Amino acid sequence: MLAAPWDDGAAAKQLFVLVTGANSGIGLGIGQRMIDEFAAEHPTASEHLILITTTRSAAKSKVTTDLLREYLQLRENAAATNRNAIHSSRIHFASLELDLCNLPSVYAAAERLRSSPLSIYTGAETNAASSPHKIPRLDSVIFNAGIGGWTGIGWGNLATNVLYDGIQQATTFPTCKASTGGLLVDPLTGKEVKHADDTKAVGDNDGVLGQVFCANIFGHYVFAHALLPLLHGTDGKKSSAIGPGPARIIWESSVEAEGWHNLSLDDFQAVRTIAAYESSKRLTDVLALTAGLKSVAPYSASFYKDDSSDEKSSDSTIVPATYVTHPGVVCSTLFPLNWFLFALYNLAMYISRWLGSPWHPVTAYKGAAAAVWVALRPTAALDALDGQHVKWGTGTTRGGTTLVKRSEVEGWGFRGLVGEETTAPTIDSVTGKAWQEGGDPLVASFPYPAYLLNSRGRKSGAANLTAERRQEFEVLGRDCWREMERLRVEWEQRVNKLKESQ
Ligand SMILES: NC(=O)c1ccc[n+]([C@@H]2O[C@H](COP(=O)([O-])OP(=O)(O)OC[C@H]3O[C@@H](n4cnc5c(N)ncnc54)[C@H](OP(=O)(O)O)[C@@H]3O)[C@@H](O)[C@H]2O)c1
């Protein structure tokens, strides 16, 4: 096989990033922002970014790659005007199909990534042909794809929400999204199944899964496990490395999935609730934030075990670092609105930002900031911030400058610490030191202390973390990991059985 176009430099000079749901909204924003931030942070011609996107069809994959290459061309032209150079021939693209609600498609995509050459497009020239190359690893996988499962706006709830909570709270933690609930999918075909009987939870033998649960979390979860052979990471200790050391699984959650009420173990796949989306995001937070806890390890260990590796090999357990991020509030097609309501929605989001909400990036490009930031930071810098124990949210200043800040999760607080200070205006909410004395390393990246304060953008009525709640969260994490592993094993067997019968 031909040498890969990134092989002119050492492995440590290559960064392989995969983004799901990259054909629209925040996923496309992540692709664009990744190009910009990678080029800015790694400016030399021998440093390579290999950006692999997933979409639900070959046609969408082609359009996505074309759009990203056109974007690269624009950035290159702009950089040339400023006498900079992006060296676009070190940016490479590939795209493949993945339907998270169709588990055979999920396994097929993972198999393709592990074993087959991908069509790699290099640089910005949209007419240039691709060449086939296998990828050696994935440094970060960004699990962005998702659905809302909503039908529209509950106008009565909207009015109450705005009147009682004010516009900033209502546009950040809305209670007005209407949904029928009960959405199901047959994950062996990816086909929607008729609505669930709302008196019945999804049982073991139904052969269906909650659709929002499957699209937003379970499909990704299964995908991550199947990708373990590629998630072995690099030697991030080398100072020259741009590869991040341990590989990273980066989940896209939501600012509004902060509360206990969002997730019930009795309705784990959220088919008997009209808040399936919020449930899937709460589950994302719980799984990601508890992934590294000792008490949870016995339940998550099988997830991190590479099934393709020799049973006895000590290398068969691969523990990528898990992070959780959210994009703030972005006007995208996630919420179904006609053009007129979409315009009003857009305006309301900007008003919220101008009134001081830190959680309104509004555009997909800005909303992409937290996921890209986590993917590009050196491991040591993230560790200094206790990065795996924080839900990293995208924020902006009133003027629209993007920043990344800690987000609150009920039962976990801002980073799992009981008694964090959240109100003092000049004190680091984590260490208690003054910002100026190097209290919060985040300030070095985003010098807007007032916006970085945990108290800014907090849900009204939020309670500080107590030891009891923290303990409850950990127990919830354990139960959720156990159920996810049970489902993963069960559905893997069903997919294998289907394959054998074909
Ligand atoms: N917008 C916000 O304010 C906001 C806030 C918090 C969190 N988020 C999260 O950000 C992520 C992206 O949302 P967005 O606002 O950018 O929405 P979006 O524009 O609707 O994009 C969603 C993406 O997910 C893909 N997708 C949906 N179902 C899929 C499936 N079964 N398999 C594979 N891909 C699938 C879509 O593909 P198709 O084009 O083929 O449908 C699309 O590419 C989601 O996880 C969302 O929950 C968004």
Side-chain angles (χ1 to χ4, degrees):
M1 196 182 293
L2 292 169
W6 50 81
D7 274 344
D8 62 345
K13 298 275 184 190
Q14 304 153 1
L15 190 71
F16 294 84
V17 178
L18 177 139
V19 187
T20 65
N23 54 298
S24 70
I26 296 157
L28 190 59
I30 289 173
Q32 295 170 334
R33 199 167 184 110
M34 186 67 74
I35 292 171
D36 286 341
E37 295 201 5
F38 181 86
E41 291 180 28
H42 303 289
T44 59
S46 60
E47 295 175 296
H48 293 263
L49 170 67
I50 301 90
L51 189 54
I52 301 157
T53 58
T54 79
T55 77
R56 282 203 271 188
S57 71
K60 285 182 184 177
S61 277
K62 181 175 179 327
V63 170
T64 306
T65 301
D66 287 350
L67 283 174
L68 289 171
R69 296 178 87 193
E70 280 163 22
Y71 182 79
L72 178 60
Q73 184 70 67
L74 284 175
R75 304 310 288 167
E76 190 168 55
N77 295 345
T81 318
N82 297 325
R83 296 176 185 233
N84 291 324
I86 282 191
H87 305 298
S88 64
S89 59
R90 69 205 178 88
I91 315 271
H92 316 274
F93 304 94
S95 190
L96 70 161
E97 290 153 67
L98 170 73
D99 181 347
L100 295 154
C101 284
N102 179 335
L103 296 182
S105 140
V106 174
Y107 285 107
E111 171 65 23
R112 226 182 123 197
L113 282 160
R114 290 194 313 253
S115 318
S116 309
L118 302 180
S119 298
I120 304 286
Y121 292 86
T122 284
E125 180 48 65
T126 42
N127 291 327
S130 65
S131 53
H133 301 283
K134 272 185 75 171
I135 54 154
R137 64 177 194 274
L138 287 169
D139 294 310
S140 281
V141 289
I142 303 178
F143 291 156
N144 160 79
I147 54 172
W150 303 297
T151 48
I153 299 177
W155 291 102
N157 284 346
L158 176 64
T160 321
N161 204 189
V162 174
L163 279 175
Y164 284 98
D165 303 320
I167 186 165
Q168 282 187 57
Q169 288 283 320
T171 55
T172 312
F173 308 102
T175 56
C176 63
K177 289 179 289 186
S179 153
T180 55
L183 299 177
L184 295 173
V185 70
D186 172 355
L188 294 182
T189 61
K191 293 209 171 92
E192 254 183 55
V193 178
K194 68 177 177 48
H195 277 217
D197 170 351
D198 61 7
T199 59
K200 205 167 124 194
V202 174
D204 280 355
N205 300 312
D206 290 343
V208 292
L209 288 171
Q211 190 183 29
V212 178
F213 165 80
C214 195
N216 292 4
I217 188 153
F218 189 64
H220 281 128
Y221 183 87
V222 166
F223 191 42
H225 180 77
L227 287 177
L228 279 181
L230 289 172
L231 295 174
H232 46 71
T234 55
D235 186 359
K237 290 192 189 87
K238 283 186 191 154
S239 56
S240 59
I242 59 170
R248 297 173 188 177
I249 296 175
I250 303 169
W251 289 91
E252 191 80 273
S253 179
S254 169
V255 63
E256 58 184 297
E258 84 307 331
W260 292 105
H261 63 281
N262 291 132
L263 175 65
S264 158
L265 290 173
D266 294 334
D267 185 20
F268 193 69
Q269 298 175 31
V271 293
R272 284 180 292 149
T273 165
I274 54 164
Y277 175 82
E278 291 76 4
S279 171
S280 72
K281 296 300 180 180
R282 170 72 172 171
L283 180 56
T284 302
D285 292 353
V286 172
L287 291 171
L289 292 169
T290 60
L293 300 184
K294 265 199 193 128
S295 65
V296 174
Y299 303 91
S300 60
S302 48
F303 174 76
Y304 292 114
K305 177 107 177 44
D306 173 7
D307 303 329
S308 66
S309 172
D310 174 3
E311 279 292 305
K312 290 180 190 124
S313 158
S314 58
D315 291 341
S316 65
T317 302
I318 300 166
V319 186
T322 302
Y323 297 90
V324 60
T325 63
H326 73 73
V329 182
V330 167
C331 291
S332 73
T333 54
L334 189 69
F335 194 69
L337 292 174
N338 64 37
W339 68 268
F340 180 69
L341 290 177
F342 189 85
L344 287 181
Y345 169 55
N346 212 29
L347 178 65
M349 299 308 132
Y350 277 110
I351 290 173
S352 253
R353 185 205 284 176
W354 295 327
L355 288 175
S357 163
W359 295 130
H360 286 81
V362 190
T363 66
Y365 181 84
K366 285 187 197 291
V372 172
W373 181 79
V374 169
L376 290 179
R377 290 283 68 63
T379 297
L382 284 177
D383 287 351
L385 289 159
D386 206 6
Q388 290 184 67
H389 292 140
V390 174
K391 177 170 167 179
W392 294 106
T394 305
T396 61
T397 62
R398 267 200 181 85
T401 304
T402 42
L403 47 91
V404 176
K405 69 186 242 109
R406 299 179 186 88
S407 208
E408 188 164 25
V409 177
E410 264 185 35
W412 187 256
F414 293 91
R415 55 171 202 161
L417 295 180
V418 175
E420 272 184 286
E421 178 58 73
T422 55
T423 49
T426 56
I427 301 293
D428 173 0
S429 54
V430 175
T431 63
K433 285 186 188 169
W435 298 101
Q436 299 84 336
E437 291 164 24
D440 188 340
L442 203 54
V443 179
S445 307
F446 305 102
Y448 304 99
Y451 283 94
L452 294 177
L453 279 173
N454 289 343
S455 52
R456 184 120 185 194
R458 214 176 171 202
K459 188 173 181 179
S460 56
N464 284 354
L465 182 63
T466 62
E468 294 73 32
R469 283 307 214 181
R470 171 70 176 69
Q471 176 62 21
E472 246 179 275
F473 191 84
E474 201 162 327
V475 171
L476 180 64
R478 191 194 64 193
D479 293 343
C480 290
W481 273 99
R482 181 169 43 204
E483 179 60 3
M484 289 297 282
E485 272 305 90
R486 188 190 70 75
L487 286 169
R488 182 184 66 75
V489 171
E490 178 192 322
W491 281 98
E492 191 171 304
Q493 284 165 358
R494 287 183 190 227
V495 171
N496 286 341
K497 216 164 154 192
L498 178 73
K499 261 203 236 161
E500 280 160 24
S501 70
Q502 283 170 344

